Amino acid sequence: MNKHVISVDMGGTNIRVGVVNQYGEVKKKRSMLTNAHLGKESVVERLIALIQDMHKSCIQEYEIIGLSLAVPGPYDVNSGVFYNPPNLPGWDRFHFRDIIEKHLNIPIYIINDANAAVLGEYIYGAGADNKIRHLVYLTLGTGVGSGAIINGELLLGSRGFAPEFGHMTIDKNGPVCNCGNVGCLEALVSGTAISKLIRGKIGNGDASILNDMCNRKINQINAEMVAEAAENGDRLALSVIKEAGSNLGIGLVNIIHSFDPEIIVFGGGLSASLGMMMPSIKSEISQRVMNNQKDKVKLVVSKIEENVALLGASSVFFDAMKNEKQN
Amino acid sequence: MNKHVISVDMGGTNIRVGVVNQYGEVKKKRSMLTNAHLGKESVVERLIALIQDMHKSCIQEYEIIGLSLAVPGPYDVNSGVFYNPPNLPGWDRFHFRDIIEKHLNIPIYIINDANAAVLGEYIYGAGADNKIRHLVYLTLGTGVGSGAIINGELLLGSRGFAPEFGHMTIDKNGPVCNCGNVGCLEALVSGTAISKLIRGKIGNGDASILNDMCNRKINQINAEMVAEAAENGDRLALSVIKEAGSNLGIGLVNIIHSFDPEIIVFGGGLSASLGMMMPSIKSEISQRVMNNQKDKVKLVVSKIEENVALLGASSVFFDAMKNEKQN
C-alpha cells in the first residue's frame, strides 16, 4: 500500500485538508472557513475535528503515516509557538504544537506556509526540473509571503523565521507596513498596498471606473477590483498596478543580489495581475541589476498553486521518513 | 608533518600571501602592492612570482598541499572568470583561473574574498563557538562586501555570486551606486559614501574641522579623516557617521528578515567607526525589526580581521581534502 500523509494548509481565510501520497497526488480534499474571529479555541477545535474526520474516512483505503500542517508565520518551529501572526489575530505566543499533539495520536510536522509552498514548488512544480538548486517563491496576496531553496535545501534561518522578503525595506521613507517597519515590499506591492494606494487617489478626486464598480464605497475597493478595472482599460488602476510592479522589480533585484537564484516563482491572488505588472518589473530589474546577473534569473507564475502548500507540507514528512531510513 | 596551504588575499590595493596550517596558524606572510593600474598582465606576473617565491622558501619546512586564492568579486567560480570587478579595473571577462593554473603546478582553489572572509570568521573567529550555524559577515570599507553562512554552509548562490548585500536597495530614491543601481547600502554607508556626503555638505558651507584637516582640499577628505574628526567632537562629521549608522541599521533589518542569523560580524576599515555608529544602528533596528526578532541577533566586530580572508581561503582547501578522504 502506498504511504499517505494528511496535509493541512491553514490560512487566515480557509483551512484545506488533503490526503497526499509521495508522488504529489492529492487523493481527497476538504476545506472549511477559518473564521479566525471566533477565537483560537474554536479554530483549533474545528481543525482537529476536520483532521479526525478525514483520517477516519480514508484509513480503510490509504495507509496514513502522519500529519503535516502548513501554518501562517511568524511561527517558531523549535518551540511550536506563534509570534503575533497578522492573519491569525489573538494567536500571539499560542503553544499550537502542544495542543495539536495532545489531541492527535499521530506523528506531526508543522511548517511555515510559505516554506511549505516553496518546497511544494521545488519538488512538484517549477523546480521539478532537477537541474534547479536555487529557487525563491513569493506569494503575492493580502500580504507578501516568501520561501527560498538554497542549493537544494530549505532556507529556515536560526529559528525558522527566514525568509521574510515581504518585510524587506526598499524605500526607507516609504509607507508604514503592518509589521511596524517602513517601506517594506509588502507595504508597496501587496493587495492591501494596492487597494490603499488607489483608495487614496480616488479619494483625492482621480477619475476611475472603480468609483462606479464600488458604488462610491471607496473602502470596499480591493486588489481584485483594481485588476479588473485595469484589464478594462482604466488608466488609474493600470498606473497603480504598474507602480506596484516597479516596486516589486526593486525587491526582486534585492533578492537576486542576495541569493543569486536560478528562478523566482510567484503565487497568490495577485499573481493573476502579474502579466500587467511584468513590463514595469522587467524594466526595473534591467535598470538596477548588476551586470553579471543581467537576464539570468527566470520569473514564472506557479502552475500548481492551488495545492502547493499541501504538497510542500506533505513532502516534509516523506523527506523525514527517507532520512530516518538512511540513518 | 603538518599540512599547509599557500593562501592569497588579493585586494585592490594589497596582495597578501601566507602559509597557513589547518589550525588557522599563519606561519609566514608576505605582501606587495597590487598596482592594478599597471594592467592585469603585470598583476598576474608579480602575483605568480610572489607565490612561487613563497613556495620555494618554505617547501623544506612545511608540507604544502595546495594554493587558495581569495579574489574580489564579482568572480564566477564555475567558469573562473571575473565580471567587471570594481576594484580591478580592466579585468572584466578575464579568464583568471586558466592563467593561474597554467603557471602553477599545484592544486588550486579560488574563492570570492567576502566568502573567504565569512568562512575565516565562521571557522576561526566569531563563529568558532560551535553552536553558531547562521552567520553574516559585512566588510565596511571603500565598498560594502558580504558573505553568509547558512546552517553551517557557505551561501554561494547558483553561480557563486551570492550574497551582495552591499547592493541591496534600501532607498529606491537614494543616491546612484557604483554598480548602477540606486540607493544601495554601499551608496549610503561605505567609506566612499561617507566621504562623498561630507564633501557635499562642506562644499555647501557647513562648518567642520575637516576643512582645516584637508587644507581646504575637500576632495581629499576620506572616511578615516571623517572618523578622526568625529572622534575629536566635530558635529558635522559625527552627524554624517550617525546617518550612515542609521542606513546600516535599515540594511541589517533587511538581512535579519531575510536570513534570521544568530550573529552579524563586521570587518573592514570602517569597522573602527562602528562604536560611533552603534547607537543609531541599534535605534533603527529596534524601530524596524519584526517582534519575533527583537534583541535576538548579536552584532560584533571581527577580532581576526587582519588574517580573516587568508584563513577562510585556506579552510576551503582543508575542507575539500577532508571531503575527499570521506568519499
Side-chain angles (χ1 to χ4, degrees), chain A residues 12 14 108 162-163 166 181 215 220 222 238 244 254 290 293 322-323:
Chain A
N14 292 293
I108 294 172
N181 195 358
N215 295 321
Q220 292 182 359
N222 60 32
L238 196 58
N254 281 2
M290 293 172 85
Q293 293 286 13
K322 231 186 335 188
N323 289 338

Side-chain angles (χ1 to χ4, degrees), chain A residues 232-250:
Chain A
N232 287 319
D234 186 68
R235 291 175 75 172
L236 189 70
L238 196 58
S239 79
V240 165
I241 284 180
K242 279 184 176 170
E243 190 178 330
S246 289
N247 286 320
L248 181 55
I250 298 172

